[in-house]
């Protein structure tokens, strides 16, 4: 039994599914697949139970952990994702770089003499929070550190989330709810606070007390956009899909 983390994103429109490369590459399968689909599918189901009105609207989910991405959903279906052809794209992560100018890869190849294996190790294992801070890939270590490099790594992480939030809201042509999930999204209240600071222009007003108390609803009563913290469970989604398949086979 295989549950593909990309399946949830097959509802993307063409413009959110392709790269501006010759069309033959798209037809060969070079396209934006998106990842963390099992997590987003679980959150879409949980949100229908927690806030059915908002679940039917325009929602951005931030899955923040050692791997991090964001997904724009309309009526529980994926419209856009920050991850693309691989799990390297989009947000910076524990050890992965996130969005990167392709020209950097050409520079590494042509001027630094790095081969494909070395570049792969750099982008997947030595970059992200670990590379930026020079200390750790673990957000808990960075938050506990007084090193300026740790603070800069956190600032870059939250800046990229804020930037993607604005872009995904534009893809949805508005925003009704935001959901945080994943190890960082569920537990790091400072990160949520930094991400949502000054987001009133988007209709988000944070309830700092609720956020620090780890409440499920962390937006204020005046906030037009509701903000939730909902623990995700990818293993549960795999179990449900497996059970459904077994039941159909009886």
């Amino acid at each position: 039994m295989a549950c593909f983390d990309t399946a949830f994103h097959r509802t993307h429109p063409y413009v959110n599914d392709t790269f501006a490369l010759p069309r033959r590459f798209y037809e060969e399968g070079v396209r934006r697949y998106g990842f963390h689909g099992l997590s987003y599918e679980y959150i879409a189901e949980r949100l229908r139970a927690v806030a059915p009105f908002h679940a039917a609207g325009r929602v951005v989910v931030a899955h923040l952990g050692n791997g991090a991405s964001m997904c724009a959903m309309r009526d529980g279906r994926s419209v856009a994702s920050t991850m693309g052809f691989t799990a390297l794209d989009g947000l910076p992560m524990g050890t992965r770089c996130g969005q990167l100018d392709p020209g950097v890869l050409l520079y590494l190849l042509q001027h630094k003499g790095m081969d494909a294996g070395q570049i792969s190790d750099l982008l997947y294992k030595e970059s992200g929070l670990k590379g930026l801070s020079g200390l750790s890939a673990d957000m808990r270590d960075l938050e506990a550190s007084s090193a300026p490099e740790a603070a800069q790594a956190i600032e870059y992480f939250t800046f990229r989330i804020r930037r993607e939030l604005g872009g995904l809201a534009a893809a949805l042509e508005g925003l009704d709810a935001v959901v945080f999930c994943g190890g960082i999204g569920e537990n790091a209240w400072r990160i949520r606070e930094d991400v949502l600071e000054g987001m009133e222009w988007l209709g988000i007003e944070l309830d700092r007390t609720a956020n620090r108390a780890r409440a499920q609803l962390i937006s204020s009563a005046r906030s037009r956009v509701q903000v939730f913290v909902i623990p995700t469970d990818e293993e549960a989604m795999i179990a449900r899909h497996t059970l459904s398949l077994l039941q159909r086979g009886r």
Side-chain angles (χ1 to χ4, degrees):
M1 176 70 187
C3 291
F4 291 93
D5 230 8
T6 58
F8 184 71
H9 302 294
R10 292 306 85 223
T11 52
H12 284 186
Y14 175 77
V15 294
N16 289 332
D17 199 42
T18 191
F19 298 104
L21 294 170
R23 183 173 290 270
R24 66 180 183 275
F25 290 103
Y26 180 82
E27 294 168 351
E28 291 170 4
V30 179
R31 57 185 68 183
R32 296 184 185 276
Y33 288 100
F35 294 87
H36 291 136
L38 291 166
S39 175
Y40 294 128
E41 185 179 11
Y42 180 86
I43 294 298
E45 290 190 4
R46 283 291 299 134
L47 195 59
R48 290 189 191 102
V50 171
F53 174 79
H54 292 89
R58 301 159 299 182
V59 180
V60 171
V61 182
H63 177 109
L64 307 178
N66 189 53
S69 70
M70 297 170 70
C71 176
M73 299 190 299
R74 183 182 288 112
D75 193 19
R77 294 164 65 87
S78 179
V79 172
S81 171
T82 58
M83 282 184 170
F85 181 64
T86 70
L88 279 176
D89 201 6
L91 302 177
M93 302 166 230
T95 61
R96 284 175 265 171
C97 61
Q99 186 183 47
L100 185 69
D101 179 349
V104 174
L105 302 182
L106 297 177
Y107 170 80
L108 297 176
L109 283 166
Q110 297 170 353
H111 298 282
K112 302 297 289 184
M114 297 177 69
D115 61 28
Q118 291 171 318
I119 292 175
S120 178
D121 286 344
L122 174 69
L123 302 185
Y124 277 99
K125 301 176 182 178
E126 300 298 331
S127 298
L129 296 175
K130 178 182 178 182
L132 285 168
S133 68
L135 299 171
S136 174
D138 194 316
M139 182 60 73
R140 293 166 295 186
D141 294 338
L142 300 183
E143 288 189 322
S145 174
S146 60
E149 294 83 0
Q152 289 174 337
I154 293 173
E155 184 178 12
Y156 181 77
F157 183 69
T158 57
F159 167 76
R160 290 299 313 184
I161 298 169
R162 289 163 60 87
R163 180 168 171 170
E164 295 291 351
L165 178 57
L168 293 174
L172 289 168
E173 299 180 350
L175 191 61
D176 299 307
V178 174
V179 180
F180 287 93
C181 67
I184 296 174
E186 295 165 23
N187 298 301
W189 64 262
R190 293 181 183 85
I191 297 300
R192 297 193 299 266
E193 192 170 284
D194 288 349
V195 167
L196 299 179
E197 181 71 32
M199 281 289 184
E200 289 80 7
W201 65 273
L202 195 55
I204 300 172
E205 183 175 316
L206 181 67
D207 182 331
R208 292 174 180 269
T209 301
N211 180 48
R212 297 182 183 192
R214 300 184 181 184
Q216 184 175 74
L217 178 66
I218 62 172
S219 49
S220 75
R222 296 184 297 273
S223 183
R224 182 183 62 76
V225 174
Q226 300 292 285
V227 183
F228 301 92
V229 180
I230 301 178
T232 192
D233 194 337
E234 294 157 291
E235 290 82 3
M237 272 328 303
I238 295 172
R240 291 177 193 175
H241 284 303
T242 303
L243 179 61
S244 175
L245 182 65
L246 291 173
Q247 289 175 334
R248 289 202 303 270
R250 288 177 181 173

